[in-house]
Amino acid sequence: MDSTVSKIINKALDGGLLTAREGIELLSWDDLSDEAAAVRLAGRRFSEQLLPQAEIHGQIGLNTGLCPQDCKFCSFAASNRVFTEPSEESLETVVDYVRLLEEKGANAIYLMTTANYDQEQFLAYGRAAFAAIENGTPLIANIGDFDLDYARELKRAGFTGVYHVIRMGEGEFTRCPVERRWDTIRAAQEAGLQLGSCVEPMGPEHALEEIVEKTLITRDMNARFSGAMRRTPLPSSVLAKHGAVGYARMATIVAAVALITGQGIAGNCTHEPNQLAVFNGANLLWAEVGSNPRDTKGKTEENRGWTVPRCRELLEECGWDVLEGPSALFA
Ligand code: SF4
């Protein structure tokens, strides 16, 4: 076992904030090495210490269509030409989804749209969703960029927080400038909205430097949770040629993200839900309904479909106790 890796792991477990160089060292080893195994075990223990009960967050996709922000990894990107006919869930359907997710035990509920979705209409959906929530489950927005006035509107509509990310390849494989993403994050924080974030969407071509840089960004933005998500290859995307990161690699990355983000970030999510990442330190999974940027047709529950009970079963199989009731991460 390499002594440098041991020292870095112990520094993280003792509450020290890792540097970029230390984060890269944790990820530099073959996944079958003693060092990577030590990173995974430490990631699991650290995650469990910070958040003793794992969580399941439910996400509702409101619409499909060709989004002009054109993120190459997304099935709504205009250039990927997947959902050429836009579609939208009715208010009634969204309210039914909210009730279903809460009844099944989702600890937080997200409303997600494409970036150009009408802001007033989203507030109307938010108000209806908030009114349908019975047990205090926090409502989170996963939408495009916005300013401070709109952040305050979100708060007034009943949203507790937003999910926002400086994504892998942001500004290069998306039409969203990094500074605009930061402006949105600052606006959300100024309005009193809490943040969820993640290191995503990750492909095999990404350098360790960028993975760690994006991980440190989630630490810097003081998110309630971070984590790591692999990119789902879309056949029509220019990124398809790179394929997908394997689950074994993702497990080491998810564990390292927990150690790098440190004691201030208790949540560590992964996507797609899988045993390797959950066993090695992911403590937050996603149940999804409606539209989804990783699908190429219809509603996600008819495709890849992770339900709340299925997520719970996976977490419990991997030795996690699962929280019942509103999210502790967004408390
Ligand atoms: S990720 Fe969001 S902003 Fe980018 S293309 Fe998809 S919907 Fe649009």
Side-chain angles (χ1 to χ4, degrees):
M1 174 73 187
D2 181 82
S3 62
T4 304
V5 173
S6 292
K7 276 188 203 145
I8 296 170
I9 288 174
N10 287 331
K11 178 180 172 183
L13 295 179
D14 290 343
L17 288 181
L18 301 189
T19 64
R21 184 183 288 269
E22 288 167 333
I24 290 167
E25 180 66 28
L26 293 183
L27 288 167
S28 298
W29 298 81
D30 183 273
D31 295 309
L32 290 176
S33 65
D34 291 349
E35 289 76 11
V39 167
R40 293 195 297 271
L41 181 61
R44 167 66 185 255
R45 287 186 175 153
F46 196 49
S47 258
E48 206 154 1
Q49 180 192 319
L50 297 178
L51 191 74
Q53 291 183 297
E55 298 196 10
I56 302 163
H57 292 188
Q59 178 149 261
I60 305 166
L62 264 51
N63 72 312
T64 70
L66 297 179
C67 176
Q69 296 306 313
D70 207 31
C71 310
K72 300 300 183 195
F73 43 78
C74 173
S75 62
F76 305 139
S79 65
N80 286 335
R81 312 278 321 154
V82 178
F83 291 100
T84 50
E85 295 297 325
S87 67
E88 187 166 342
E89 302 292 352
S90 69
L91 198 66
E92 294 71 30
T93 301
V94 171
V95 165
D96 286 346
Y97 276 146
V98 169
R99 293 194 175 118
L100 174 77
L101 288 169
E102 194 180 44
E103 182 197 314
K104 294 293 180 190
N107 308 109
I109 295 176
Y110 294 56
L111 300 186
M112 172 177 63
T113 69
T114 56
N116 57 341
Y117 194 82
D118 184 86
Q119 289 192 322
E120 285 306 313
Q121 184 146 322
F122 184 74
L123 292 173
Y125 275 75
R127 284 189 283 267
F130 184 66
I133 288 173
E134 291 190 346
N135 299 323
T137 306
L139 184 65
I140 312 296
N142 181 359
I143 56 178
D145 290 301
F146 52 79
D147 62 14
L148 179 57
D149 286 345
Y150 192 68
R152 290 185 172 131
E153 293 281 353
L154 289 169
K155 184 94 171 121
R156 273 194 286 273
F159 287 94
T160 296
V162 297
Y163 176 80
H164 218 69
V165 176
I166 313 288
R167 296 160 299 184
M168 303 295 288
E170 193 78 85
E172 184 182 357
F173 293 100
T174 75
R175 290 195 183 137
C176 308
V178 169
E179 205 38 53
R180 197 170 77 203
R181 305 290 288 175
W182 270 117
D183 287 346
T184 299
I185 288 163
R186 290 188 201 104
Q189 286 176 319
E190 196 172 336
L193 293 161
Q194 298 184 52
L195 278 166
S197 199
C198 184
V199 183
E200 59 114 324
M202 201 176 295
E205 77 280 13
H206 288 128
L208 297 184
E209 285 75 9
E210 186 177 0
I211 294 171
V212 172
E213 178 219 338
K214 295 298 193 293
T215 307
L216 292 173
I217 284 175
T218 66
R219 189 172 84 188
D220 291 347
M221 71 170 72
N222 199 22
R224 308 305 301 157
F225 64 83
S226 182
M229 182 187 89
R230 72 176 190 170
R231 185 180 63 230
T232 300
L234 284 169
S236 57
S237 166
V238 293
L239 300 171
K241 61 177 184 270
H242 297 298
V245 182
Y247 282 133
R249 185 67 189 142
M250 284 307 298
T252 308
I253 293 171
V254 166
V257 167
L259 297 173
I260 298 166
T261 50
Q263 285 187 332
I265 300 188
N268 193 32
C269 76
T270 197
H271 214 303
E272 302 286 324
N274 69 91
Q275 282 87 346
L276 280 178
V278 170
F279 187 69
N280 290 292
N283 56 19
L284 168 57
L285 292 184
W286 301 93
E288 295 180 299
V289 292
S291 64
N292 196 282
R294 288 174 294 280
D295 288 334
T296 52
K297 60 179 178 175
K299 300 188 182 207
T300 199
E301 62 267 36
E302 295 156 6
N303 297 302
R304 297 165 308 106
W306 278 83
T307 62
V308 174
R310 201 172 157 210
C311 290
R312 183 180 294 111
E313 188 182 336
L314 193 160
L315 286 160
E316 289 175 350
E317 273 180 4
C318 295
W320 284 95
D321 190 19
V322 180
L323 178 71
E324 286 182 23
S327 169
L329 292 169
F330 283 114

